[in-house]
């Protein structure tokens, strides 16, 4: 079964819109795990517009499944990750002013930079993953850094799938096969939803984990958080 890690950034966005502590981020993290999710993901950014750095520390004792912290590996971010020691760190090359992640790493160009960070994280017992586009050269480059896993950036697949283009899955399948051959674990995320997740999972061999936030929270507004989490688990089985 492919694991579901629920990204709770949008819960923090809603909380921050009014101040105070509603909705309660820690309770939501507990609840999604209670409903069956096998992990919790957060992606703090420097301006703390959704997840705050303090949230990352506060969530540590609450997340009893897999704790995945995503982000651009700036000094502040890496210091936090090393202090918290989550299950996994996912390195994402998002710009400071990016609304959301919009590209994977050039793992060839940034090989030495990534390798240094990955070595330090692994030395501290933290599993590492690199956010990558579905390009074979980038998969090979990721393997050269020493990372444990890659996370396939799935926005283009989701967009094309919505247009009816099922062949958009092909580069992702090819990259998953190559990653497995190179000994890399395979994660995926970005714009995956109840509509496309089953097709994606069925066509990506050895898919270990998906991280889903925006769509899952939007779907939960209509169907309820528990119902939506369980629907994802069923489609990922």
């Amino acid at each position: 079964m492919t694991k579901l890690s629920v990204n709770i950034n949008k819960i923090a966005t809603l909380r921050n819109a009014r101040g105070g502590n509603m909705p309660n981020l820690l309770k939501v993290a507990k609840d999604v795990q209670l409903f069956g999710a096998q992990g919790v993901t957060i992606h703090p950014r420097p301006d703390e517009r959704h997840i705050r750095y303090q949230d990352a520390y506060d969530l540590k004792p609450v997340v009893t499944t897999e704790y995945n912290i995503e982000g651009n590996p700036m000094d502040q971010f890496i210091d936090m990750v090393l202090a918290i020691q989550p299950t996994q760190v996912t390195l994402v090359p998002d710009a400071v002013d990016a609304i959301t992640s919009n590209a994977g790493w050039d793992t060839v160009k940034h090989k030495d930079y990534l390798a240094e960070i990955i070595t330090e994280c692994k030395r501290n017992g933290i599993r590492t993953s690199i956010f990558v586009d579905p390009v074979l050269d980038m998969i090979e480059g990721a393997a050269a850094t020493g990372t444990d896993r890659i996370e396939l950036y799935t926005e283009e697949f989701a967009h094309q799938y919505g247009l009816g283009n099922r062949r958009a899955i092909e580069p992702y399948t090819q990259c998953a096969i190559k990653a497995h051959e190179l000994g890399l674990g395979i994660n995926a995320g970005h714009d995956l939803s109840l509509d496309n997740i089953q097709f994606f999972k069925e066509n990506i061999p050895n898919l270990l984990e998906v991280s889903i936030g925006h769509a899952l929270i939007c779907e939960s507004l209509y169907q309820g958080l528990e119902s939506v989490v369980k629907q994802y688990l069923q489609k990922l089985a």
Side-chain angles (χ1 to χ4, degrees), residues 67-137:
Y67 190 13
N68 175 43
I69 302 181
E70 300 180 342
N72 190 315
M74 298 176 290
D75 289 345
Q76 182 185 13
F77 177 85
I78 292 300
D79 289 346
M80 175 196 67
V81 166
L82 294 177
I84 294 173
Q85 296 191 336
T87 315
Q88 177 175 268
V89 58
T90 301
L91 306 179
V92 184
D94 51 333
V96 172
D97 58 350
I99 295 175
T100 186
S101 304
N102 54 22
W105 285 97
D106 183 333
T107 57
V108 176
K109 179 179 180 180
H110 298 290
K111 173 190 170 184
D112 292 342
Y113 173 69
L114 290 167
E116 181 179 357
I117 295 166
I118 287 164
T119 298
E120 184 64 19
C121 289
K122 292 175 74 171
R123 185 182 295 125
N124 283 270
I126 304 166
R127 188 173 72 223
T128 58
S129 180
I130 299 176
F131 198 61
V132 292
D133 296 313
V135 177
L136 290 174
D137 287 349

Side-chain angles (χ1 to χ4, degrees), residues 8 24 41 47 55 61-62 95 105 137-138 151 159 162 204 230:
I8 57 174
N24 186 311
T41 291
D47 61 7
D55 292 329
V62 171
W105 285 97
D137 287 349
M138 296 303 104
E151 179 174 329
H159 175 68
I204 303 299
K230 290 182 176 178

Side-chain angles (χ1 to χ4, degrees), residues 25-98:
L25 189 77
L26 302 187
K27 184 177 187 305
V28 171
K30 292 177 183 177
D31 286 344
V32 295
Q33 294 173 97
L34 180 65
F35 299 153
Q38 296 101 340
V40 173
T41 291
I42 61 170
H43 189 144
R45 287 183 166 86
D47 61 7
E48 299 189 302
R49 62 181 181 270
H50 34 62
I51 290 292
R52 299 167 181 154
Y53 274 74
Q54 186 58 49
D55 292 329
Y57 289 92
D58 294 342
L59 283 161
K60 172 65 174 177
V62 171
V63 181
T64 56
T65 55
E66 292 199 349
Y67 190 13
N68 175 43
I69 302 181
E70 300 180 342
N72 190 315
M74 298 176 290
D75 289 345
Q76 182 185 13
F77 177 85
I78 292 300
D79 289 346
M80 175 196 67
V81 166
L82 294 177
I84 294 173
Q85 296 191 336
T87 315
Q88 177 175 268
V89 58
T90 301
L91 306 179
V92 184
D94 51 333
V96 172
D97 58 350

